Amino acid sequence: MVPFCGQDRCLVDSNGRIKLSARFLSDFLGSGPEVVVHCLPEGALGVYPVSVWMQMRRTNPRPAETAGQSVVFRRELRRMGALTRQEAISNQGRITIPPEFRKLTNLEGGTECLLVGCEIGMEIWNTTQWEAEFQRIQASETQRAEAEMANYLKGLDTP
């Protein structure tokens, strides 16, 4: 089975928790109960196994040296640090969305959300925000297909 694929609907409970579906729970528990939650700029909450998060963050071979020299890099470190937390999946298969992240992602208690697989982890989306994001994805795919077809047809015009 391909990990972290598919979509499932759920509700954020009054304590800011979401119950993982069996498919996503199985995917996460294969690497242990600890996960990393991160507020994504798109307005969703990314949830990743710790090992995946560590791979994602290995973008700079000398982070301390770069931080000492670059304002832009320090800001990136602040953004990543401030908007990231390690959490544990409970024995009941739930993840608690940190209170400071709920407002940023429109995932307050009682909100319907979607758990969306992203192959390396899962994203938690407010349903309305996901619908808008999915429209952007579809528009982008259509533009890319049209550009590919136009390039293909240009190639047919040349002898």
Side-chain angles (χ1 to χ4, degrees):
M1 178 182 250
V2 179
F4 299 112
C5 289
Q7 300 176 32
D8 293 305
R9 290 186 183 273
C10 65
L11 284 174
V12 180
D13 73 14
S14 60
N15 294 317
R17 299 173 300 195
I18 56 117
K19 177 131 177 70
L20 296 177
S21 63
R23 109 178 66 210
F24 289 124
L25 183 59
S26 173
D27 292 341
F28 279 114
L29 292 180
S31 58
E34 296 292 319
V35 295
V36 174
V37 295
H38 174 70
C39 290
L40 299 168
E42 303 93 284
L45 188 68
V47 184
Y48 308 100
V50 173
S51 61
V52 169
W53 178 255
M54 296 306 291
Q55 290 176 31
M56 291 169 64
R57 294 304 298 148
R58 283 192 204 126
T59 58
N60 188 309
R62 303 165 112 183
E65 182 178 316
T66 305
Q69 300 169 0
S70 171
V71 171
V72 172
F73 189 72
R74 285 192 303 272
R75 284 188 175 149
E76 175 68 8
L77 290 175
R78 281 183 211 117
R79 183 183 74 76
M80 296 303 284
L83 299 176
T84 304
R85 290 236 329 239
Q86 190 166 329
E87 295 287 330
I89 298 172
S90 74
N91 291 335
Q92 295 79 31
R94 296 185 292 207
I95 294 175
T96 299
I97 301 169
E100 61 273 20
F101 295 176
R102 293 177 205 161
K103 192 171 194 175
L104 292 171
T105 56
N106 292 316
L107 292 169
E108 299 288 344
T111 303
E112 183 180 45
C113 62
L114 251 113
L115 309 180
V116 178
C118 61
E119 296 185 10
I120 60 169
M122 175 189 82
E123 296 175 350
I124 306 170
W125 285 85
N126 170 294
T127 302
T128 303
Q129 287 176 249
W130 169 251
E131 290 167 359
E133 174 67 9
F134 193 70
Q135 286 178 356
R136 287 188 288 273
I137 291 168
Q138 288 179 310
S140 174
E141 290 296 315
T142 298
Q143 287 175 337
R144 188 165 64 170
E146 289 171 356
E148 181 182 348
M149 184 55 77
N151 285 334
Y152 171 76
L153 292 174
K154 282 181 193 175
L156 292 179
D157 291 341
T158 58

